[in-house]
Amino acid sequence: MKAETEARTDTRKRILDIAEELLLTRGFNAFSYQHISRELGVRNAAIHYHFPHKTDLGTALVERYIRRLERFIEQHGEASATAQLERFFELADAYFRNDRQVCPSGILTVELHTLPVEMQVAARRFIEVMRQWAERIATLGQVEGSMRFAGTPAAMGLTMLATLQGGLQLARIEAAWLNSIKQQIRCLLGLAD
Amino acid sequence: MKAETEARTDTRKRILDIAEELLLTRGFNAFSYQHISRELGVRNAAIHYHFPHKTDLGTALVERYIRRLERFIEQHGEASATAQLERFFELADAYFRNDRQVCPSGILTVELHTLPVEMQVAARRFIEVMRQWAERIATLGQVEGSMRFAGTPAAMGLTMLATLQGGLQLARIEAAWLNSIKQQIRCLLGLAD
DNA sequence: GACACCTTACTGACCGGTAAGTAGAGTGGG
DNA sequence: CCCACTCTACTTACCGGTCAGTAAGGTGTC
């Protein structure tokens, strides 16, 4: 039955949702199964039932990110470079508005050395998807003629990713900085002055 | 005596040095007094003698960063904007070469919510010093005429800081990216193409 | 003898993880 | 229709290890 299937996966999904919030606000090392179980109103062992090891939970989390991101990119793949850039910005904005979360790639790279290997591999994949999208936007913008910048599209895309990743983190100190940085990226791409 | 003074502060300094390495490679939440004491060859309680609480250690660490950074900036304050930019880059390079460490501001902002308040305050100060330097470089570059970029020097400086912070983190995934990003910043400032 | 600088020995809280048990829903056989 | 069984999704009750932190004692130096 439909209801049964929903019930079956509901707890698992809620665990992932809570863990996602915790990952993006506190980092992987600074949240525990207890944080989740308390919030969810279940016992600690219930989390272990769905995700035997914390590694499993972390990896599942990153892999969900990758799926979501790929779907998001696909949805906007036909748009113009400038429109895609704004979607790119909106992604960052959405993170920030939700409890001043930072970009997952920020968390994952900062904690990289302490992460289980399986998560590291997933993290690399996530970042590569992100980077390739940024590069594609820069390439398209140059081809379209809508964006004008020095250097290669590959370097520009990578730089945009780095800037937004760092910017999202710095915005925790001063919220206004995020808009400043987005506007400056537009400037640097010849989209404003 | 000189020797006594040295001996007195030697352990304290070595604790800070080891803690610094741990902070920059693992983050604040992922290192413990035991990591330090094992490396240093003393007992756990010896660390507590010098830094009663982990907060004390963390705050002392950030404050040492601020002092060092201010000294570093002062040393190069008379140089040209382009020369200061290269010093800015070298700072990042130095972190990266040493065990792929990331910029302290990266760690501190990512972990911000989980940090003791005292450390948060110190972190804000550190980042403000960093940001102001970046802004000063951009302003000087524009006044000198050596740098040409759209937008305000304040936004450009902030963006440079964000880019380098993010770039240093991404370089953990692929080392070559750091040079790519540095070169792209030079391009965006009209220093190369 | 006072002090700096450690040690040993400990505490309580929390960590991820496991084992065993159970309520309830679903399933097949007679 | 009912009983026996199985499976999912938990629970309670632990485990050993690690965490930051503390108290009390020892030792070498001035």
Side-chain angles (χ1 to χ4, degrees):
Chain A
M1 319 291 160
K2 186 80 189 300
E4 180 215 23
T5 311
E6 270 176 10
R8 182 214 281 250
T9 53
D10 187 52
T11 303
R12 191 189 149 92
K13 188 187 172 300
R14 278 162 69 199
I15 292 171
L16 280 170
D17 288 342
I18 295 170
E20 178 176 325
E21 177 107 8
L22 287 164
L23 178 72
L24 263 39
T25 51
R26 302 181 53 94
F28 187 72
N29 295 305
F31 82 84
S32 71
Y33 274 34
Q34 291 191 47
H35 286 111
I36 303 171
S37 60
R38 214 173 301 154
E39 172 95 15
L40 196 57
V42 295
R43 296 290 150 178
N44 225 323
I47 320 285
H48 280 286
Y49 171 76
H50 292 282
F51 302 96
H53 306 274
K54 203 182 174 187
T55 304
D56 302 322
L57 175 56
T59 308
L61 224 42
V62 179
E63 257 147 24
R64 195 171 73 161
Y65 275 129
I66 296 174
R67 283 197 307 273
R68 276 189 196 162
L69 180 61
E70 283 175 337
R71 208 179 314 136
F72 187 85
I73 294 173
E74 206 178 337
Q75 269 171 24
H76 303 101
E78 303 299 317
S80 69
T82 50
Q84 284 194 56
L85 181 72
E86 292 305 317
R87 298 295 90 70
F88 195 71
F89 284 167
E90 273 166 27
L91 207 62
D93 270 329
Y95 282 128
F96 185 71
R97 276 194 308 270
N98 191 5
D99 247 337
R100 300 205 166 195
Q101 289 174 357
V102 297
C103 173
S105 60
I107 295 274
L108 295 170
T109 48
V110 165
E111 294 192 304
L112 195 71
H113 298 328
T114 67
L115 256 32
V117 182
E118 214 181 330
M119 274 191 75
Q120 289 186 24
V121 172
R124 277 166 213 278
R125 277 205 295 131
F126 176 79
I127 288 164
E128 193 48 29
V129 173
M130 203 80 175
R131 191 198 62 78
Q132 281 178 10
W133 186 33
E135 181 179 332
R136 224 156 43 235
I137 293 176
T139 307
L140 184 63
Q142 205 174 51
V143 170
E144 280 181 8
S146 58
M147 296 175 181
R148 266 165 304 146
F149 51 85
T152 66
M156 190 65 227
L158 180 63
T159 302
M160 279 157 46
L161 175 60
T163 307
L164 226 58
Q165 177 168 322
L168 211 40
Q169 292 162 14
L170 289 172
R172 281 185 166 173
I173 302 292
E174 180 55 60
W177 289 352
L178 189 56
N179 279 327
S180 248
I181 288 169
K182 284 189 303 183
Q183 185 57 23
Q184 188 61 29
I185 295 179
R186 289 192 199 96
C187 286
L188 295 172
L189 290 170
L191 300 170
D193 44 270
Chain B
M1 316 287 158
K2 186 78 186 301
E4 179 217 24
T5 312
E6 271 177 11
R8 181 216 280 249
T9 53
D10 187 52
T11 303
R12 190 189 149 91
K13 188 187 172 299
R14 278 163 70 199
I15 292 171
L16 281 169
D17 288 342
I18 294 170
E20 178 176 325
E21 176 106 8
L22 287 165
L23 178 73
L24 264 39
T25 51
R26 302 181 52 94
F28 188 70
N29 294 305
F31 83 84
S32 70
Y33 275 34
Q34 291 192 44
H35 286 113
I36 303 171
S37 60
R38 213 173 300 155
E39 172 95 15
L40 197 57
V42 296
R43 296 288 152 180
N44 224 323
I47 320 284
H48 279 286
Y49 171 76
H50 293 281
F51 302 95
H53 306 274
K54 203 184 172 186
T55 303
D56 302 323
L57 174 56
T59 308
L61 224 40
V62 179
E63 258 149 21
R64 195 171 73 161
Y65 275 129
I66 297 173
R67 283 197 306 274
R68 276 189 195 162
L69 181 61
E70 282 175 336
R71 208 178 314 136
F72 187 84
I73 294 173
E74 206 178 338
Q75 269 171 25
H76 303 102
E78 304 299 317
S80 68
T82 51
Q84 283 193 57
L85 181 72
E86 293 304 318
R87 297 295 90 70
F88 195 70
F89 284 168
E90 273 165 26
L91 208 61
D93 269 331
Y95 282 130
F96 185 71
R97 276 196 307 272
N98 192 6
D99 248 336
R100 300 205 164 193
Q101 290 174 355
V102 297
C103 173
S105 60
I107 295 276
L108 296 170
T109 48
V110 165
E111 294 193 304
L112 194 71
H113 297 328
T114 67
L115 256 34
V117 182
E118 214 181 330
M119 272 190 77
Q120 289 186 24
V121 173
R124 277 167 213 275
R125 278 205 295 131
F126 176 78
I127 289 164
E128 193 48 29
V129 173
M130 202 79 174
R131 192 198 62 78
Q132 281 176 10
W133 187 33
E135 181 178 333
R136 223 155 45 236
I137 294 176
T139 307
L140 185 63
Q142 204 174 52
V143 171
E144 279 181 7
S146 58
M147 295 176 182
R148 267 164 305 146
F149 51 84
T152 66
M156 189 66 227
L158 180 62
T159 302
M160 279 159 45
L161 175 60
T163 307
L164 227 58
Q165 178 169 321
L168 211 40
Q169 292 163 14
L170 289 172
R172 281 186 167 174
I173 302 290
E174 179 58 58
W177 289 351
L178 189 56
N179 279 326
S180 245
I181 287 169
K182 285 188 305 185
Q183 185 57 24
Q184 188 61 27
I185 295 178
R186 289 193 198 95
C187 285
L188 295 172
L189 291 170
L191 300 170
D193 45 89

